[in-house]
Amino acid sequence: MMKIKAVLVTVLGMFLISCAHQSAPSGGPEDKTPAEVSVSHPADGETNVNRNASIEITFSKWINLTSAKGAVTIYPPLPQGFSVKASKNQVKIIPNSALKENTTYHVMVGTTLKDLRGNSAPKPARLVFSTGDALDSAQLSGSIVSLDPLVTLPKVALFREYYEWNDTAYFSIPDYLIQCDSGGVFQFSHLKEGRYRVVAFNDPTRLRRMRMGDKCFTSLEKTITVSSAENFIRLYPAESDTLPPRVNSIRAVDMRTLRGSWNKKFDLDRFPQPEWKIMPVSADSDKKTVRINQSITFANGTDFYITLHEPMKSVPYQLFYNYSDISDSIRFNGITVSDTVQPVLKSISPTGSSNLMPELRLIWSKPVRVSQNMITAVDTAGVDNAVFFCTDRYSDTTLLTVTRKLKPGKRYKLRIPVQAIKDISGNMAAAYPANSDAVKDKRERKNISAADSISTDSTNANGSTQDTVKDNTKDSTVTVFLNTISVDSICYRIHGGAECLKAEEKRKWVYRPKGRDETYTVNDKAGTFSFDSIPASKGTLYWFIDDNNDNLLTPGRLVPWRAPERFVIVPDSIEARARWEIEDLEVRACEDNR
């Protein structure tokens, strides 16, 4: 009898232990059905809810208790927060203080909640209730507009704009938050009427709030009015980085020249030019301020030069700078040597055959300024010539833009005198390539990419031009060759438009060929576009409103506020067929397409 009792006690103990640990039942077909909400207290849509009540949600299946605690959110946020307890198939949400009176609350259980099999719901479970006599009735819907497919689905946040708005609120817990669907569409309901700021952002860390620098989207208006009337808005790309730039590095390149960089682009639309001051910091040196000759910002807006009146010594220096309310400093070591390194042309873009209106980029080993602002390109057959305009700023990339279309199937030669190419220390550009092996390597290729062909040149007795290498002291030009696409690879014309569009002087149409690193932009003509002589390809077509007239699609900015430029993408691919002329192509490019 005692043995029987011992066995019963052992079996009972094992049973109790097994009940204390939830685990997925074994055997049977694989269960892939997620848990669903069976009942809730308060019920969805219930009013006059007790302000001291807890919220209980019962699911159709037992749930993973660990996943429940991080899956619950409540909007508007509870100032004192809440705690979550879970058991079997039930989640209990306990507010740490009484709920507000006459307030509609949104409780969301996210898709991170899993059942014991690891299944999660395809969309969050929602519960709406009110501590007042009625639910809030305001609503808002919209979509996110992006040139590129949404890799991750952004969350859309609403911030109630009270009497005093602080821009730091963009990075706090929002008043309402919702996930958009795979098409970038979102819909809020049961909102409190009023004025709001709106922003969509990626939330990879699931903080449920935006961080500075996160990719984001915002509306065309700084604030939007939310009411019971239907309101559909679109959110366009914007910038969320509000931190001011700081000097990231500074070094002496010679005894009178410093090169530095900001940790991000210095935006002159937001900030004034900084004031600079340089002083030696060593104990045995003169503490006299070093006189600054000039500061030069590169075209990229990130790098800069500072030139000095007097030469530096081999001692530590401190660079002080201030702008707006920002003041900071950074140390560097002075040098007493001169910079005699000549800039070298490293590469050219585009590579391969170019289109007929190319933007030619010359990439140098160090920043240079090309003082010759017009450069003539002559085709090697001597039939055609065209003028390129050159950017007149220090940069490691020189941009050349042509004034008219080039001829198809031609090889053009551009010659720039080395005396016109100088770095900040006055060094002229070196001849390139600098050794015969580099030229030999190029010649051995069966197909020389014209946009990748860089040389000095000489002329044979018969007048033909060939790549050669000379002594650097004798070379007087840097010569670049550029091939244009053949006539068999050109779509002569694509003309079309959308009936819904009216004339808009600031509208620009853009065609982006797939697989090519280039775009084509034309002005709108009464709701129509016309692209002439573009490479045969399939691509994307869109239009945008160029508010700042820079010929680029400019994103918005949250702080300080700048409205994004609106645009519409044609949903269907556009095919530019070789040797074709396409007229009156009707496209879907209306803003009310949802």
Side-chain angles (χ1 to χ4, degrees):
M1 188 66 179
M2 292 296 292
K3 290 182 178 181
I4 295 175
K5 287 184 178 180
V7 170
L8 290 175
V9 169
T10 302
V11 171
L12 180 60
M14 293 176 63
F15 176 76
L16 292 174
I17 292 173
S18 66
C19 290
H21 296 278
Q22 296 188 56
S23 61
S26 59
E30 185 179 0
D31 181 8
K32 295 185 178 181
T33 304
E36 298 179 348
V37 176
S38 298
V39 65
S40 66
H41 298 287
D44 186 31
E46 186 174 339
T47 58
N48 293 314
V49 172
N50 188 331
R51 294 172 56 200
N52 295 307
S54 297
I55 304 161
E56 297 180 0
I57 303 175
T58 303
F59 291 88
S60 58
K61 304 169 64 178
W62 282 28
I63 58 175
N64 182 301
L65 306 183
T66 303
S67 69
K69 294 184 179 181
V72 177
T73 52
I74 300 178
Y75 298 99
L78 303 181
Q80 303 300 322
F82 58 89
S83 59
V84 176
K85 294 182 179 180
S87 177
K88 299 180 180 179
N89 64 336
Q90 190 177 77
V91 173
K92 188 174 184 179
I93 305 163
I94 307 169
N96 294 335
S97 60
L99 303 175
K100 292 183 179 180
E101 60 182 359
N102 296 321
T103 302
T104 298
Y105 285 96
H106 300 242
V107 180
M108 182 174 68
V109 182
T111 56
T112 55
L113 178 75
K114 300 181 183 297
D115 64 14
L116 295 184
R117 292 281 189 180
N119 300 312
S120 59
K123 60 181 181 180
R126 298 183 180 279
L127 167 65
V128 180
F129 64 87
S130 175
T131 56
D133 295 334
L135 299 175
D136 290 334
S137 59
Q139 56 183 326
L140 177 69
S141 59
S143 64
I144 295 171
V145 186
S146 175
L147 283 178
D148 301 308
L150 297 173
V151 178
T152 58
L153 301 183
K155 293 176 180 176
V156 184
L158 292 179
F159 300 90
R160 189 86 184 276
E161 190 175 84
Y162 298 97
Y163 297 107
E164 293 185 5
W165 169 265
N166 191 322
D167 288 331
T168 58
Y170 280 122
F171 308 99
S172 62
I173 299 297
D175 292 291
Y176 300 97
L177 186 71
I178 198 171
Q179 181 92 51
C180 74
D181 64 17
S182 58
V185 177
F186 58 91
Q187 184 171 11
F188 289 95
S189 60
H190 302 298
L191 300 176
K192 191 174 186 62
E193 290 190 348
R195 294 184 62 78
Y196 290 84
R197 302 280 185 112
V198 58
V199 61
F201 61 95
N202 293 336
D203 187 21
T205 55
R206 295 176 180 172
L207 292 175
R208 303 187 185 100
R209 60 181 176 85
M210 185 171 59
R211 300 170 303 176
M212 291 183 183
D214 281 349
K215 181 179 181 180
C216 69
F217 304 81
T218 192
S219 56
L220 295 173
E221 302 294 334
K222 184 186 297 187
T223 60
I224 58 173
T225 300
V226 176
S227 66
S228 57
E230 183 179 356
N231 189 9
F232 188 92
I233 64 171
R234 290 173 180 81
L235 306 182
Y236 299 91
E239 299 170 349
S240 65
D241 190 355
T242 64
L243 295 176
R246 303 275 183 175
V247 173
N248 189 50
S249 65
I250 187 76
R251 66 182 179 87
V253 295
D254 66 22
M255 64 182 71
R256 293 176 184 267
T257 309
L258 304 176
R259 179 175 179 176
S261 66
W262 300 95
N263 62 350
K264 60 181 180 179
K265 183 176 180 180
F266 194 93
D267 191 348
L268 291 174
D269 291 338
R270 294 178 57 188
F271 307 110
Q273 286 280 6
E275 296 178 359
W276 309 95
K277 185 172 72 171
I278 300 173
M279 294 184 66
V281 296
S282 60
D284 57 347
S285 63
D286 185 3
K287 296 294 185 178
K288 184 179 178 181
T289 301
V290 178
R291 289 195 303 155
I292 294 174
N293 181 32
Q294 63 176 335
S295 62
I296 303 170
T297 303
F298 293 5
N300 61 14
T302 302
D303 300 311
F304 62 88
Y305 270 131
I306 296 177
T307 60
L308 310 175
H309 281 286
E310 302 94 2
M312 289 180 289
K313 300 178 182 179
S314 296
V315 297
Y317 288 84
Q318 192 90 1
L319 171 69
F320 300 89
Y321 64 94
N322 66 81
Y323 62 92
S324 298
D325 297 328
I326 306 301
S327 296
D328 206 347
S329 66
I330 186 171
R331 290 184 63 163
F332 66 95
N333 291 322
I335 59 176
T336 57
V337 298
S338 300
D339 178 16
T340 59
V341 178
Q342 293 178 290
V344 175
L345 184 57
K346 296 170 59 179
S347 61
I348 297 177
S349 175
T351 58
S353 297
S354 76
N355 64 75
L356 303 185
M357 290 288 288
E359 286 190 344
L360 188 60
R361 287 174 168 82
L362 311 182
I363 295 90
W364 305 90
S365 60
K366 59 195 300 191
V368 300
R369 174 179 173 267
V370 179
S371 58
Q372 183 173 320
N373 63 350
M374 289 193 300
I375 300 168
T376 301
V378 181
D379 81 296
T380 54
V383 176
D384 186 44
N385 62 76
V387 174
F388 279 77
F389 278 112
C390 179
T391 52
D392 186 23
R393 294 183 65 181
Y394 282 98
S395 177
D396 53 9
T397 301
T398 302
L399 177 65
L400 302 174
T401 54
V402 68
T403 55
R404 65 163 180 81
K405 288 183 181 178
L406 303 178
K407 300 292 185 182
K410 298 292 184 181
R411 190 177 193 226
Y412 289 85
K413 179 170 66 174
L414 294 85
R415 303 176 65 181
I416 310 174
V418 293
Q419 295 90 342
I421 310 168
K422 295 183 180 180
D423 64 16
I424 194 72
S425 300
N427 299 307
M428 292 188 300
Y432 184 92
N435 59 72
S436 57
D437 290 338
V439 173
K440 181 180 178 182
D441 187 49
K442 281 182 177 289
R443 287 176 176 170
E444 287 177 348
R445 296 189 224 164
K446 291 183 178 180
N447 297 312
I448 298 178
S449 169
D452 196 32
S453 182
I454 313 166
S455 70
T456 58
D457 58 273
S458 63
T459 305
N460 295 334
N462 61 6
S464 63
T465 301
Q466 63 179 16
D467 294 340
T468 63
V469 173
K470 299 180 180 180
D471 183 85
N472 288 356
T473 60
K474 297 180 182 179
D475 293 330
S476 60
T477 63
V478 171
T479 303
V480 175
F481 291 95
L482 176 70
N483 283 341
T484 56
I485 58 176
S486 67
V487 68
D488 292 330
S489 301
I490 294 177
C491 174
Y492 298 144
R493 185 170 184 254
I494 295 183
H495 172 271
E499 291 183 354
C500 60
L501 296 180
K502 298 180 180 179
E504 169 58 70
E505 62 178 10
K506 291 188 175 183
R507 182 185 291 117
K508 304 287 179 65
W509 291 86
V510 181
Y511 175 70
R512 292 202 309 176
K514 294 180 180 178
R516 298 178 69 98
D517 186 23
E518 57 191 353
T519 59
Y520 302 89
T521 305
V522 296
N523 293 326
D524 177 82
K525 295 181 180 179
T528 66
F529 57 85
S530 181
F531 295 94
D532 298 325
S533 301
I534 61 176
S537 56
K538 288 186 177 180
T540 302
L541 179 68
Y542 65 92
W543 61 258
F544 71 99
I545 303 301
D546 191 13
D547 290 321
N548 60 0
N549 297 312
D550 66 350
N551 219 40
L552 299 172
L553 179 57
T554 306
R557 186 174 56 213
L558 297 183
V559 183
W561 172 262
R562 178 181 66 204
E565 292 182 342
R566 72 182 195 270
F567 62 95
V568 170
I569 306 170
V570 175
D572 303 317
S573 294
I574 303 298
E575 183 175 5
R577 293 189 179 185
R579 304 180 70 93
W580 274 55
E581 186 169 337
I582 304 171
E583 294 285 347
D584 301 325
L585 179 66
E586 187 67 25
V587 296
R588 292 187 294 158
C590 304
E591 288 184 286
D592 58 358
N593 289 336
R594 300 184 186 179

